[in-house]
Structures are given as C-alpha cells and as structure tokens.
Amino acid sequence: MPTTHPQPTPQTLEANFDGLVGATHHFLNTAPGNLASQTHRGEPANPRAAARQGLDKMRRLADLGIPQAVLPPQPRPNLDLLAALGFAGPAEKALAHAKRDAPHLLAAASSSSFMWAANAATVSPSPDTADSRLHLTPANLITALHRAQEPRFTAAALRSIFADESHFAVHDPLPAAPDLADEGAANHTRLAPAFDAPAIHLFAFGRDPRTPDAPSPTRFPARQSALASEAIARQHGLNPAHVVFARQHPAAIDAGVFHHDVIGVGHLNRLLLHQQAFADPAATHAQLDRAAASLNLTLRHTTLTDDQLPIDQAVATYLFNSQIVSTPDGRTILIAPAECETHAAVRAAIDHAINLPQDQRPFDAAEFVDVRQSMRNGGGPACLRLRVVMTPAQRAAANAAWLTPALHDQLIAWVDHHYPDATTLDTLADPAQLRANLNALDALAPILHLTDSPWHQQITDCANRWLG
Ligand code: SUG
C-alpha cells in the first residue's frame, strides 16, 4: 500500500477521523428521536455543499495542529439492501421498482448517515487496554434500518486503515439484537489527565434489559443498551475500576437527545454537561470521581442548568455536540456549530465558561463551523468525527489519509467533479448516478491510500454485483 503521511509530532495525540459525506446525502429519511431530521424532512439537499462543509471543518482542525484523517464513504444506493427487501434484478429495475413501491426504502438504502463517524465505532486507546493495543468495535446501529446497513462497510473501512494487528484490534460489530443495540462513540467519553495516561471511560446508555421497570423514554426509543456498552468494555480489556456506566435521563431522550453527545462532551479531564444528561447525576458524578481518584485524575465538571440553557435549545443549537480540542500551543478550544454563534443563551453560556477562573474553565476559546447540511439531519461537528488517541508509532502504522492542505484541495476537487448539487428520488433511482457514485469511490481509493484495501475490494465487489 502507498505510504501515508505520518504526523511529525512525537507525542500521543487524539486524532479525529471524520466521515466524508456521500454523494447521495439527502433529507428524505427521519431517524428515531432525531428532531432535526424530522423538521427538515423533504427539504432540498446539496451533497456537494455537505461534503465541502465537512472537508472545511477537517481542514480547520488540521490547521489548528490536530491530527485529522478521513474515513471513506460507503456505496449507495445499497442494492444489496434493496435486494434483501425484495427489490431484485438489474440495478435499473430494482431502483425503479423501489422508487415506485417503497420510496422510503430507496431513501433508507441511499442514506449518507455513515458520515457521522461518532457512530462508526467505539474506540479504546492502547494506554487503557489489557493487551496495550488500540481496540475498535464497529457499532451495529440496529435501531434504524438506514443505519443498520453501515456496520459491514464500516468494518471493512476500519480494517483497511487499522490493519496492523500488532497495534490495532478491529472487532466484529456486536450481534444484531435489540438487547445489544450499539451506537458507538457517540455514547462514550474517555477522560484522562493526558492522552497517553490511563483513562476512565464513561458509557451512557438509554436502556437496560435487566431493569425493564426503570423509568424509560415514552416518545422516542433509547438507542444504546447497557449490555452493549458492557460487552465492549470487556472486549477491549478495560479495567472495570476505571469504567462508569450511566443511564441517560429518559426525559432528555424524549426531548431529542438520541445520543449522549447531544447533551454532553468530554475532553481530557474536562466534562461539559447539561443537567439533564443523566437519570441520576449525583450517583454518576460520584462514580466518576471515585474512578478518577484511582488514577490521580481531577475532573473538571461544568454543568449547565435548564435555566441557563433549556434542553430544547440545547438540542436545537447542538452546543454539546461541539468538539473540545487541545492545540499544540496548549489552548483548549470549543469547535461549535455555527447555529450557536447567534443564539443568545448559548453565547452567554459560552462566554460564562470562558470567563471562569483558568483552573475551572472547560475551554479557553470558541470557534464556529458551518456544517449546516449535516446539522439538518441531526449531525453536528462532534457527530462527524471519531476520536482515536494514537501513539506516534500507531499514527505511522495506520493506513490513514492524514489531511494536509494538498489532500484537502484534492478531495474538494474530487467532490466538485463527482458530486451532484441536489438529491431527489429521481437522482437516487437513476442507474447512471449509481454507476457514477461507484466510479467516484473507485477514484477515491488512491487518494485515500486505500487501493486494494478491504474497503476498495468491497467497492469493486458491489460494482460487479450491482452493475454486472
Ligand atoms: O442517527 N441522522 C443521524 C444523525 C447521527 C448523529 N450522530 C451523533 N449524534 N453522534 C441519526 O439520527 C438522518 C437520516 C439520514 O441521514 O438518512 C440520520 O440518520
């Protein structure tokens, strides 16, 4: 495989792997409990603008000196899914049949939801695992049909990038059963005094099949099962003394908090939460403090109350779906959605946080990024990235496409060349567009150093099966 761009910094750092938006990005699905996707359903979507916005966010993070890599898109429309649902035959027939009889299934099979890399996998870095390897488990995403098609492609992409088994272990997704419903890193927070130090792991879940009588959301499903989080902690060899499992507040799920990362974000020793993040905040904080004490870690909690920011406004602006990042010059920056910049209560909360005494601040400064195409489907800056804490040796060993200004420009040119600026049911059902999408992914393989990788093999196999 061609050489990658190893990062020069001789330190363990947190890299962001962002999902590259797909050419079929659209607003024709709704996702369970995701209010933005409900509100914007049926609006015109612009895949080219969506992909450019994602790439520009990646560029900003890379320019701040934070290792930034790119996860490849998945092949869509997914003709294997349509065939499994009874829309068989050559592409032209299957697509036309689905468009006529079940447009919602064509929309599901065309989703670009893989762009939200926070749902791609759960990641445990090597300082925390029993075998000192970096462990990744692709999320099974069984709660929604359009997301349940992702894991097999995600696993291939992760196995292409994290191929070196002396450094990395990519597990199979958990079995696809409701008791093991898993949505990945969106419900997982790693807290540590430094990237290379052992960490505590906070797993948020919405339901637990062992306690069916516990207060549950009534309007929307809870997407993460406690049994899934526990299985992953075991699989990765995390120290049980350093792991905390916390139930999400059911009222928050019903208010549109379909993943924990819609109501809380952590980074190193900092934890920024809304007061309704957890069903029993006092117990969760006590557990976190106990786990932290065993690692000489002093957590810096910042909790916003409902008076400071009502939960519906937290959900509407996605403040908590910001990224908190550390720059090489020692600053901690909040990378917030552009929607936060103009919202009075959110701005007040950000300014309040920045003006706290230095040893209490969750971050030192805030920046705003425009990812509006993603936001309309309920995906903010933090949804678009998978955090992977990596040693220099692991960064060099990974077949990752590290974003440089040159790679950013190359990917923008690739997007401009291959992506439409509008998606409709007609474009999704157009076999010529399917062929163009698959050709675009084939052309992407060398750009992302993925030629002949398992991911590339999968694209080739799909093209052969779907187009003959
Ligand atoms: O699963 N939206 C996604 C948004 C995921 C956001 N991720 C995190 N919070 N980490 C979801 O609700 C909309 C429909 C679509 O794109 O096809 C959607 O699936």
Side-chain angles (χ1 to χ4, degrees):
M1 222 168 275
T3 51
T4 54
H5 311 293
Q7 297 293 303
T9 328
Q11 289 156 12
T12 295
L13 290 174
E14 182 176 89
N16 290 304
F17 284 71
D18 277 46
L20 186 49
V21 176
T24 57
H25 160 70
H26 64 71
F27 299 125
L28 301 169
N29 287 324
T30 52
N34 173 338
L35 297 176
S37 76
Q38 291 178 16
T39 307
H40 298 287
R41 183 154 192 270
E43 289 180 5
N46 184 335
R48 195 184 303 158
R52 278 175 150 265
Q53 287 170 359
L55 282 164
D56 288 350
K57 175 177 86 85
M58 296 185 218
R59 172 71 191 263
R60 181 65 198 133
L61 274 284
D63 286 350
L64 284 171
I66 294 153
Q68 176 69 56
V70 186
L71 288 175
Q74 302 191 357
R76 297 285 186 274
N78 178 356
L79 257 61
D80 291 339
L81 176 59
L82 290 181
L85 300 174
F87 300 107
E92 192 169 358
K93 181 169 162 241
L95 291 166
H97 190 180
K99 182 185 148 199
R100 189 192 66 210
D101 290 357
H104 61 291
L105 295 179
L106 176 58
S110 306
S111 176
S112 169
S113 50
F114 50 77
M115 70 167 95
W116 297 298
N119 305 121
T122 305
V123 181
S124 299
S126 46
D128 309 338
T129 62
D131 65 2
S132 300
R133 290 190 297 165
L134 192 164
H135 287 247
L136 304 101
T137 302
N140 61 23
L141 290 166
I142 62 157
T143 301
L145 173 65
H146 70 279
R147 302 226 59 179
Q149 67 188 317
E150 293 171 38
R152 80 179 169 106
F153 297 105
T154 304
L158 295 178
R159 291 195 168 112
S160 303
I161 295 168
F162 301 99
D164 182 340
E165 292 184 5
S166 67
H167 285 290
F168 311 118
V170 180
H171 298 264
D172 288 335
L174 294 177
D179 282 358
L180 294 171
D182 175 29
E183 304 254 335
N187 296 310
H188 172 231
T189 310
R190 178 181 193 263
L191 297 159
F195 291 130
D196 59 358
I200 61 175
H201 292 256
L202 168 60
F203 289 91
F205 62 88
R207 64 198 169 84
D208 182 343
R210 290 163 300 196
T211 53
D213 297 330
S216 304
T218 52
R219 187 175 170 214
F220 295 132
R223 295 204 202 175
Q224 183 79 29
S225 165
L227 297 188
S229 306
E230 291 174 17
I232 290 170
R234 264 191 307 273
Q235 250 185 6
H236 291 193
L238 299 181
N239 181 339
H242 300 159
V243 178
V244 173
F245 301 99
R247 189 184 280 273
Q248 294 172 271
H249 202 304
I253 295 176
D254 279 341
V257 179
F258 56 94
H259 291 137
H260 171 72
D261 69 5
V262 176
I263 200 162
V265 52
H267 173 73
L268 290 172
N269 68 334
R270 295 143 199 249
L271 196 53
L272 176 67
L273 296 169
H274 188 273
Q275 87 178 93
Q276 272 184 291
F278 297 115
D280 187 346
T284 299
H285 284 236
Q287 279 176 287
L288 285 172
D289 287 336
R290 206 163 33 244
S294 71
L295 288 175
N296 270 334
L297 162 67
T298 308
L299 289 177
R300 203 185 280 189
H301 301 277
T302 311
T303 300
L304 297 186
T305 63
D306 216 48
D307 287 342
Q308 283 171 296
L309 185 62
I311 191 160
D312 60 326
Q313 292 177 38
V315 171
T317 58
Y318 261 43
L319 169 64
F320 293 96
N321 203 262
S322 300
Q323 298 177 237
I324 302 181
V325 296
S326 298
T327 59
D329 61 8
R331 286 177 309 149
T332 302
I333 301 184
L334 184 84
I335 309 290
E339 285 75 355
C340 291
E341 193 168 10
T342 48
H343 187 284
V346 169
R347 279 312 290 255
I350 291 175
D351 291 343
H352 170 76
I354 290 174
N355 289 316
L356 286 168
Q358 199 174 2
D359 60 350
Q360 292 171 30
R361 276 178 213 160
F363 43 83
D364 306 314
E367 289 196 15
F368 301 92
V369 287
D370 176 3
V371 289
R372 286 193 170 85
Q373 286 283 325
S374 169
M375 284 283 284
R376 279 177 216 159
N377 259 336
C383 298
L384 287 161
R385 60 95 174 96
L386 184 66
R387 287 183 284 190
V388 188
V389 169
M390 300 170 85
T391 65
Q394 289 169 342
R395 293 200 296 280
N399 297 315
W402 298 109
L403 197 84
T404 58
L407 178 58
H408 171 264
D409 294 350
Q410 207 179 353
L411 287 169
I412 291 281
W414 175 83
V415 165
D416 286 350
H417 182 70
H418 292 285
Y419 278 37
D421 61 6
T423 313
T424 63
L425 271 179
D426 287 336
T427 62
L428 296 180
D430 181 355
Q433 187 62 52
L434 170 66
R435 187 177 295 277
N437 296 344
L438 292 169
N439 285 341
L441 295 180
D442 192 48
L444 183 65
I447 302 175
L448 293 187
H449 316 294
L450 290 173
T451 305
D452 295 336
S453 67
W455 172 83
H456 192 202
Q457 191 57 51
Q458 207 171 41
I459 301 303
T460 309
D461 291 349
C462 287
N464 289 339
R465 244 189 346 266
W466 298 350
L467 299 168

